[in-house]
Amino acid sequence: MPDVYDPLETAPRDDLAALQLDRLRWTVSQALRSPYYAKLLADLKLGPDSVASLADLRRFPFTDKKHLRDGYPYGLLAAPKDAVVRMHHSSGTTGMAIAVFHTRRDIEHWADLIARCLHMVGVRKGDVFQNMMTYGLFTGGLGLHYGAEKLGCFIIPTGAGNSHRQIQFMRIFDTTFIHIIPSYALALLGAFEEMGVDPRSLSLKLAVGGAEPYSEGIRERLQEAWGVPFYNCYGLSEMQGPGVAFECPEQQGLHLWEDSYLVEVIDPDTGEPKPDGEQGELVLTSLAREAMPLIRFRTRDLTSLITEPCPCGRTHRRLTRIEGRSDDMFIVRGVNIFPLQIERVLMSMPEVGRNYLIVVDRDGYVDRLTVRVELTADAFQGDLAQLRALQDKIAHALREEMMVTPRVELVEPGTLPRQEGKAIRVIDERKL
Ligand code: DLL
């Protein structure tokens, strides 16, 4: 049995199901306090008594981002305003203003879940935690902060950016773990080079990376360069933020905390459940959120459920690495493409460096796909014929993966734009 933070982590599945049923009924009664669900559920004649078993969840309709936006700001608030102690807010990257509220109890529960996640990968009292995620309306900074504090860590709340100072702090304060956006963790490697510091020479023992999709290839590169394991952390503001699902030391999928969330994987087109193990859209129902409970929330994130027990001994089922969002998909000459497909191909090539950018535009009426690829410093030294051959090799491998031949542009290391927040991988000029 693993050394757990919370005995619920290894609870027998039957006990978990009983707890879920209780909490689902509570969630429905709580949701009825919000204007949105009060009307919706009254119209449908649904309430806590409609839930005789967990299967009854399917009697409830899906909740969508659109419902949150239409009800903005307070339409889904299920607690009195004076019980709200904090809000987080969407960044607006998808153009939708969404506010998410928390009561004191919600913040406590969230901190406990994060403490559980961090404890699972070996964080303990006395660890020095440099939190390189943005603090503020984004949930990444404060979310991990409170959980780490609960464990008794020494926290350095640097937030994102200011790369040289990040590295100085890691050296001065002997940082033992970091929380960082994976694309920023790659970008920081450039700053290490500038300063002549080897990340492997630090006191780090692990890193937590999430908030954006990244391939196994990126993880491997990060682990190699930083010399520590990178654990994948998934979450979304609507469901609290980070810590909804988290990898254990096995690094074979993310345990979704089933005492706090009910999970479904559906076909995004029909809304019907997908068989276990098949990829589909993740739908979550909160089971412990007081200020803003959500029933059957469509995350738009694509993943699949691993039902085999995990060797770590935890009983909560796992999600496979999130492949991206259904709305990240773009269509080029009729072919559906996900950015992560391109990333996987690029990261399998040792000549490819730390950053890439996908640009889609039109040449007359025809879609054109360009992939700009940073090379490693070594690969860039090659002569023109070698670079041409490499360009062809990348274009060919991408064509094999997606059946569209892209233009491949090779660029020098460190020349593509970088963000400290979530990476922007695709620029679709057809939409501009
Ligand atoms: O990104 C919460 C978070 C912060 C998670 C820090 C992990 C670490 P939002 O800004 O609301 O919340 O964005 C949520 O980001 O629906 C996914 O599309 C994507 N996402 C989050 N974590 C992962 C991950 C935070 N590990 C949206 N892998 C989600 C892939 C992720 N995508």
Side-chain angles (χ1 to χ4, degrees):
M1 275 294 137
D3 166 20
V4 293
Y5 174 78
D6 184 333
L8 271 178
E9 291 169 53
T10 50
R13 299 267 333 151
D14 286 350
D15 294 0
L16 263 183
L19 178 68
Q20 288 180 321
L21 185 58
D22 272 356
R23 289 187 168 180
L24 178 58
R25 289 199 189 107
W26 173 80
T27 292
V28 173
S29 58
Q30 186 64 18
L32 280 167
R33 298 169 192 251
S34 75
Y36 172 72
Y37 282 118
K39 170 156 189 347
L40 177 78
L41 299 185
D43 289 350
L44 296 169
K45 302 198 169 37
L46 288 171
D49 296 340
S50 323
V51 185
S53 77
L54 287 174
D56 288 321
L57 178 65
R58 290 195 58 201
R59 298 173 62 186
F60 291 78
F62 293 119
T63 305
D64 223 307
K65 256 190 201 299
K66 179 180 174 304
H67 301 123
L68 273 68
R69 185 191 47 188
D70 292 349
Y72 184 84
Y74 293 122
L76 280 95
L77 178 62
K81 268 200 207 131
D82 67 0
V84 172
V85 298
R86 195 199 301 169
M87 80 160 193
H88 285 277
H89 201 281
S90 60
S91 59
T93 42
T94 48
M96 290 197 194
I98 287 174
V100 180
F101 306 100
H102 303 262
T103 62
R104 184 161 299 287
R105 188 182 136 165
D106 291 331
I107 298 284
E108 272 293 307
H109 188 83
W110 185 8
D112 265 328
L113 278 186
I114 295 289
R116 186 195 288 189
C117 298
L118 294 175
H119 185 277
M120 176 163 74
V121 293
V123 172
R124 296 290 182 274
K125 178 173 172 359
D127 266 310
V128 181
F129 173 35
Q130 196 163 321
N131 193 0
M132 303 192 193
M133 286 262 176
T134 305
Y135 279 74
L137 291 172
F138 175 55
T139 52
L142 287 170
L144 270 267
H145 185 104
Y146 281 74
E149 198 167 273
K150 198 147 216 174
L151 284 179
C153 298
F154 161 16
I155 306 176
I156 312 175
T158 47
N162 213 338
S163 302
H164 286 212
R165 198 180 56 173
Q166 299 279 11
I167 295 170
Q168 282 161 356
F169 275 13
M170 279 191 270
R171 297 175 83 188
I172 299 169
F173 298 104
D174 293 322
T175 302
T176 60
F177 80 103
I178 58 172
H179 179 215
I180 187 165
I181 293 214
S183 50
Y184 183 51
L186 281 172
L188 253 187
L189 292 171
F192 275 107
E193 281 159 15
E194 283 160 23
M195 292 173 73
V197 178
D198 178 0
R200 291 168 157 271
S201 69
L202 305 171
S203 308
L204 273 190
K205 58 180 196 187
L206 63 98
V208 175
E212 67 181 9
Y214 60 119
S215 58
E216 197 56 46
I218 290 268
R219 190 230 295 266
E220 281 164 15
R221 282 167 180 241
L222 287 171
Q223 298 195 146
E224 170 64 28
W226 285 81
V228 294
F230 265 74
Y231 294 105
N232 195 350
C233 166
Y234 168 77
L236 59 164
S237 317
E238 294 87 343
M239 285 288 147
Q240 81 182 19
V244 171
F246 204 94
E247 273 181 334
C248 66
E250 301 289 327
Q251 294 189 310
Q252 297 289 331
L254 298 88
H255 287 282
L256 183 121
W257 299 123
E258 294 189 79
D259 56 307
S260 301
Y261 303 96
L262 273 180
V263 54
E264 298 171 80
V265 177
I266 61 161
D267 179 324
D269 297 325
T270 63
E272 289 302 307
K274 280 281 199 176
D276 285 342
E278 275 189 29
Q279 191 183 87
E281 177 183 337
L282 181 68
V283 172
L284 294 171
T285 299
S286 67
L287 291 176
R289 301 251 313 119
E290 192 176 43
M292 216 169 127
L294 293 178
I295 300 171
R296 304 192 83 199
F297 181 69
R298 293 191 60 160
T299 65
R300 306 280 157 191
D301 289 323
L302 300 171
T303 180
S304 58
L305 206 52
I306 305 173
T307 50
E308 292 90 60
C310 182
C312 82
R314 290 180 182 78
T315 48
H316 302 238
R317 287 175 296 173
R318 286 165 292 161
L319 302 179
T320 54
R321 180 177 283 287
I322 314 296
E323 280 289 303
R325 304 173 53 75
S326 50
D327 32 27
D328 282 345
M329 191 191 77
F330 56 95
I331 302 179
V332 172
R333 287 172 244 147
V335 178
N336 298 350
I337 301 174
F338 283 97
L340 223 63
Q341 280 179 283
I342 295 183
E343 181 175 305
R344 264 199 301 268
V345 171
L346 296 179
M347 290 304 137
S348 69
M349 301 193 174
E351 301 91 343
V352 171
R354 298 189 191 125
N355 206 354
Y356 67 92
L357 182 69
I358 301 163
V359 181
V360 193
D361 60 1
R362 273 208 186 93
D363 184 12
Y365 291 103
V366 183
D367 294 333
R368 183 166 59 179
L369 174 64
T370 306
V371 182
R372 288 197 189 122
V373 183
E374 276 187 15
L375 295 185
T376 60
D378 281 352
F380 210 78
Q381 312 287 314
D383 62 32
L384 213 54
Q386 269 173 331
L387 289 176
R388 277 249 162 76
L390 179 58
Q391 208 169 14
D392 288 348
K393 183 171 106 174
I394 297 174
H396 182 77
L398 287 171
R399 179 179 161 86
E400 292 287 291
E401 167 66 30
M402 51 191 193
M403 309 313 291
V404 171
T405 309
R407 292 197 311 174
V408 173
E409 292 176 6
L410 304 179
V411 302
E412 278 186 71
T415 48
L416 290 176
R418 305 211 175 264
Q419 300 83 28
E420 286 152 8
K422 302 182 188 230
I424 296 167
R425 298 296 194 192
V426 184
I427 296 180
D428 195 339
E429 289 178 350
R430 298 171 303 181
K431 289 184 186 156
L432 299 178

